[in-house]
Amino acid sequence: MLMTVVVALTLWMNVEGVAARGARLSLSIQQDENRQRAAALVDEAVTVLEKGDERGAKNLFERASEIDPNNELAHTYLGVLADRAGDLTEAERQFAAAAIAAPTSPAARNNHGAILLRLGRAEQAAKQFELSLKLDPKQAGPLINLAQILFARDTPENLRAARDLFERARAIEPDVEVARALVVIALRLNDRTAAAAYFKDYAALVQNAASGVAASSASSRAELGAALFEAGLVDEASTELGAVVAAEPANVKAIVLLAQTYLARKDIAAAGRTLEAAIARGLDEAPIYAALAGVYQDSGHIENAIPAMRLAIERAPKNEAYRFRYAMLLVDTKAPAAAVIRLREALNEFPRSSKLHFALGVALFTNHKHDEAMTAFERSIELDPKFAPALAYLGMIYDETGRYAEALALYERAAAADERIAAVQYLAADALLRQTSPDLARAEARLTRALELDPSFPPARLTLAKLYLRTDRLNEAASQLERLVAANPSMAEAQYQLGRVYMRLKRTEEAQKALAVFKQLNENQQQQAQDDRQELIRRLANVRF
């Protein structure tokens, strides 16, 4: 009886197993049929989509995804259509479904990451891109996408990581935007050498592009041009901005910046042509006239700079910076009284402008009205206690009236407020050296910094050389004076001091030559001192804002 039961049970189990296998086989056949039907619907939908019928295509893709929920293509196309319609939430749902349906598909992972990135979910997007790259490391798309996420974090570590990813993408597929990104990263990392090298690759790709500068890329090229100019890569900046102006002849900002790149290259004529051509094209804009005034000033045509600046003010009467520059032009043309008149008018418009009060002080100082100038400078400092040029000018007035300790205190305040002004560093050093017990180390540090900021500043180099002579560092003094004389052969005192140094170094023949030149120049020495003073005043008044 027991045997019978066992046999019966075994037979039942065998029958059950056959039934299960049959069901699974039937299900497998059904799934295959569903996949085939879904694939056919996807093919049909693609054809319909190519004809421009997005609604019809969407219906077919939806039917395909209902029949076969694991159809990657159907979900991908539905994601694309939702993206086109601006429904990013639905697009993300569909791309996620595609990634679930095909977890080993690099493309599905990349698509899902891309839509997550657009939704602002950068961390989740990065994980999808990383998964995509694990599945296939040689994909430009996810490399670029992941690099963009790292780039946006904008830390040195993340920028370097982004650079590595962009370089990998470039090796797979050269691309203009990738090349541009590499230039930008190098600029942000303050690596001018790398930026220049990357720019060569970028420029070659742009040149080979069929359309050159597309309208859609002009803004990004203008932005890159500005960044290159700021980094001191003026040739590269000129290339970018020139292309922008060629594509957008009415782009005022790019025109002005292009002119500035020419000025930085000492090509004043090209800067002038750029701006004058813009005016000839009908661009009657204040920034162009203001830039042209600067070009005329740099070229020595101050008589043209003044009317150009006046035109800029007429077109932008509320521009404080233009009023300031106009006044400084009048001072430079030895018309300080006219500058005073214009500045008092401007101060009616801008009564709390520290820079305009400063400009008024400069004009009054130049016109030898020191008491009024002092009042103007004090008002400027009251409005902006850290305005270094005003502090320095007030110090110069104190210096001239014998208030040496107060002058030094103001120079030190000016240097602390802005340590990038060479003239301020020089004034502080000069005041230190004239103290009863001078602090030679502090003075030397100030003079060294002044020359770091402006190697072409003769008074600072002469004073440093005299300090070296004073402390018996003859070879260092000779080096400074030789450099100074080479750049300024008509500077009488430099020739005299060089002769003295050569004498002490027993270089008699060279000493005699230097002193002979000094004797020839000595008649003009008083004029040279006046010129040096004017140069100092000019440098302090050269405020840009």
Side-chain angles (χ1 to χ4, degrees), residues 36 45 100 112 174 204 241-242 247 255 275 288 343 384 424 457 467 480:
Q36 290 174 10
I100 292 169
H112 190 205
L241 294 163
I255 291 166
L275 296 165
I288 293 178
L343 283 163
D384 182 358
V424 169
F457 191 12
L467 188 152
Q480 293 294 334

Side-chain angles (χ1 to χ4, degrees), residues 473-544:
R473 292 145 71 182
L474 301 180
N475 288 320
E476 291 175 79
S479 176
Q480 293 294 334
L481 290 165
E482 286 165 352
R483 184 170 176 181
L484 184 56
V485 165
N488 305 272
S490 62
M491 193 172 183
E493 188 179 359
Q495 296 284 1
Y496 171 71
Q497 296 293 344
L498 185 58
R500 287 183 63 204
V501 172
Y502 282 157
M503 278 293 188
R504 292 182 62 181
L505 287 169
K506 310 300 184 185
R507 294 163 61 177
T508 307
E509 185 177 346
E510 292 168 285
Q512 290 173 345
K513 287 181 180 178
L515 291 171
V517 173
F518 162 69
K519 288 178 181 179
Q520 292 176 351
L521 296 170
N522 194 36
E523 293 179 2
N524 299 322
Q525 193 170 16
Q526 185 176 359
Q527 181 60 46
Q528 181 66 50
Q530 292 175 358
D531 291 344
D532 288 346
R533 188 68 169 173
Q534 285 302 115
E535 176 66 8
L536 182 60
I537 290 170
R538 186 190 66 78
R539 286 170 185 266
L540 279 173
N542 188 25
V543 179
R544 300 287 184 181

Side-chain angles (χ1 to χ4, degrees), residues 24-25 41 97 115 130 136 157 184 255-256 314 366 512:
R24 286 197 297 271
L25 180 60
L41 284 169
I115 202 68
E130 288 166 356
D136 181 1
E157 182 181 359
V184 173
I255 291 166
V256 170
E314 287 175 4
T366 308
Q512 290 173 345

Side-chain angles (χ1 to χ4, degrees), residues 19 66 84 130 298 521:
E66 289 170 2
R84 286 185 185 176
E130 288 166 356
D298 289 348
L521 296 170

Side-chain angles (χ1 to χ4, degrees), residues 293-435:
V295 171
Y296 289 148
Q297 184 179 13
D298 289 348
S299 65
H301 293 89
I302 201 79
E303 71 282 1
N304 293 332
I306 290 174
M309 201 69 239
R310 193 161 54 239
L311 287 169
I313 292 171
E314 287 175 4
R315 283 146 186 79
K318 298 295 184 181
N319 190 302
E320 179 187 356
Y322 293 169
R323 299 294 190 99
F324 175 87
R325 287 181 57 195
Y326 184 51
M328 290 298 97
L329 284 171
L330 291 172
V331 171
D332 285 346
T333 56
K334 296 181 172 53
V340 169
I341 293 170
R342 298 304 172 213
L343 283 163
R344 294 200 190 282
E345 293 173 354
L347 283 166
N348 288 330
E349 292 276 347
F350 307 98
R352 296 189 59 78
S353 169
S354 174
K355 293 179 177 63
L356 290 178
H357 281 287
F358 164 75
L360 179 61
V362 173
L364 291 165
F365 182 88
T366 308
N367 208 26
H368 308 293
K369 295 183 177 181
H370 289 184
D371 289 341
E372 293 179 66
M374 186 182 298
T375 301
F377 290 133
E378 287 172 344
R379 178 58 175 154
S380 175
I381 294 165
E382 179 186 342
L383 292 166
D384 182 358
K386 293 186 177 182
F387 189 25
L391 289 163
Y393 258 101
L394 188 57
M396 289 170 66
I397 293 176
Y398 285 169
D399 225 335
E400 291 188 357
T401 54
R403 298 163 68 178
Y404 302 124
E406 292 172 273
L408 176 58
L410 284 165
Y411 296 148
E412 294 283 8
R413 278 181 61 189
D418 189 347
E419 63 90 30
R420 300 166 298 173
I421 303 176
V424 169
Q425 297 288 345
Y426 163 74
L427 285 168
D430 186 58
L432 282 166
L433 290 171
R434 287 187 282 108
Q435 300 299 300

Side-chain angles (χ1 to χ4, degrees), residues 156-171:
E157 182 181 359
N158 282 307
L159 287 172
R160 283 189 284 269
R163 178 190 60 197
D164 294 342
L165 291 169
F166 278 128
E167 285 182 339
R168 285 172 58 189
R170 180 183 64 172

